[in-house]
Amino acid sequence: MTVHQPPQTVRANGIDICYEIFGNDNAEPLLLIMGLGAQMIHWDDAFCEQLAARGFRVIRFDNRDIGKSSHLTGGKRLTPFELLKLRLFRIPVAATYKLIDMAKDTVGLMDALGINSAHLVGASMGGMIAQEVALSFPHRVRSLTSIMSTTGNPRVPPPTREAAAMLMAPPPRSKEEFMVRFGQTWKVLRAGHFPEEEALDVGRAERVFARGLNPAGVGRQLRAVLASGSRKERLRGVKIPTLVIHGTVDPLVRPEGGKDTAESIPGAKLLMIEGMGHALPMRFWPEIIGAIDKHAHGAAAQAA
């Protein structure tokens, strides 16, 4: 039976961060950083428990502007025109905060929990935040696992039209609309036939809705990603043991994003998962959890 501490809120980097811990206090600390607009519960409970069972103290948390962490203010909805200016003329997008601020939130949470250094596992935008922590606070990172993420390199192919449209869609106006949208969104992101996941989507959507939505915050997070530019050149200086995991059919952060990340970080290992889109379906957990386990424990053994 996994030791589990229910969600708590702590002050870190000037904001409130809601976090939850699975596993023993003396196990290897492993921080899970979620992606754009995704609450910490998108790291499935059973996924966290399985990692904890491998000897990790697993900490998941809501990024700023999502779930039960602080909701900020300011910024307008991103327009297609701003995206076009960024893509064609490299005219930067205005942002209330950037990924470096979210990296400081992560380090602030570690400070609040008395953790000097941890294994970082980030998915999508969470992978970008984890990369930024590795770049700006390398002494705080024992190992880095970047999942379905990218370097910010503008040469990486953009999302598919369907995935991009989903990203730019106006926020749902009612719970009913949200529930329908949730199912549609994950169907697009999974990029395949996953009936066992779809069966759980209604329950997942209920749980996300109950914890609270913040569409304006998701918009600010998206601006943070776009305003932070490319990390590609800086990543060449990363000396932390790095694992890159990516799906071969990812419609949002294309497979080239993962390959670019692995090529940019010296010595990084690349694991391409056949048939995986921009999601973490249960059928891929044995491979993903096994790879994280081997990588993080391997890095810990090397450091010792």
Side-chain angles (χ1 to χ4, degrees):
M1 193 62 192
T2 303
V3 179
H4 175 226
Q5 295 174 27
Q8 295 173 67
T9 301
V10 73
R11 196 82 185 155
N13 193 30
I15 61 167
D16 291 329
I17 294 181
C18 178
Y19 70 95
E20 190 171 4
I21 300 178
F22 300 80
N24 296 318
D25 285 352
N26 57 357
E28 287 279 327
L30 186 141
L31 251 71
L32 298 175
I33 312 173
M34 228 327 133
L36 176 72
Q39 298 181 10
M40 67 178 181
I41 56 174
H42 281 289
W43 295 110
D44 200 279
D45 295 8
F47 184 91
C48 297
E49 286 163 1
Q50 287 181 33
L51 274 171
R54 303 280 190 118
F56 294 105
R57 181 189 185 203
V58 179
I59 300 144
R60 66 179 180 183
F61 65 98
D62 285 325
N63 286 312
R64 59 168 64 198
D65 256 336
I66 202 79
K68 299 283 188 187
S69 288
S70 288
H71 292 187
L72 285 81
T73 55
K76 294 186 179 74
R77 265 190 71 74
L78 192 71
T79 64
F81 183 56
E82 284 177 283
L83 277 179
L84 197 67
K85 288 197 297 187
L86 175 70
R87 201 142 193 97
L88 295 182
F89 308 112
R90 303 274 181 269
I91 295 170
V93 164
T96 312
Y97 52 81
K98 293 186 179 179
L99 291 174
I100 182 62
D101 299 296
M102 301 180 86
K104 287 174 181 172
D105 294 346
T106 307
V107 171
L109 174 60
M110 288 167 66
D111 288 342
L113 296 177
I115 298 169
N116 290 329
S117 64
H119 303 281
L120 298 189
V121 178
S124 196
M125 178 186 76
M128 303 173 195
I129 295 167
Q131 290 172 26
E132 193 56 67
V133 177
L135 287 165
S136 301
F137 308 95
H139 57 291
R140 307 302 297 266
V141 186
R142 298 185 189 189
S143 75
L144 169 64
T145 301
S146 182
I147 306 175
M148 54 192 176
S149 194
T150 184
T151 58
N153 176 4
R155 291 198 176 86
V156 167
T160 63
R161 190 167 290 166
E162 198 179 15
M166 198 193 64
L167 204 59
M168 298 301 287
R173 290 182 299 272
S174 65
K175 182 180 178 181
E176 290 67 34
E177 204 180 317
F178 169 75
M179 298 294 285
V180 171
R181 179 85 61 84
F182 187 94
Q184 291 169 337
T185 297
W186 286 101
K187 215 168 173 139
V188 169
L189 291 179
R190 286 186 198 116
H193 187 54
F194 294 89
E196 69 280 12
E197 298 295 330
E198 288 168 26
L200 297 173
D201 278 346
V202 171
R204 288 169 175 162
E206 286 278 5
R207 198 173 168 200
V208 167
F209 190 85
R211 295 183 84 242
L213 305 182
N214 186 23
V218 179
R220 283 188 288 272
Q221 288 185 352
L222 181 55
R223 284 182 175 276
V225 170
L226 296 171
S228 293
S230 176
R231 291 169 296 286
K232 186 171 174 65
E233 292 308 315
R234 291 162 66 216
L235 286 168
R236 298 190 194 288
V238 170
K239 295 180 174 67
I240 294 152
T242 300
L243 170 65
V244 177
I245 301 175
H246 217 102
T248 58
V249 294
D250 192 326
L252 190 64
V253 180
R254 304 297 278 279
E256 290 84 353
K259 290 171 183 168
D260 193 52
T261 306
E263 282 163 13
S264 304
I265 299 174
K269 297 189 285 276
L270 176 64
L271 171 62
M272 297 299 293
I273 297 186
E274 194 60 47
M276 187 171 98
H278 199 77
L280 299 170
M282 293 176 288
R283 70 172 73 154
F284 300 126
W285 287 4
E287 200 174 350
I288 294 166
I289 290 169
I292 294 169
D293 175 21
K294 186 181 171 191
H295 175 63
H297 279 308
Q302 236 171 350

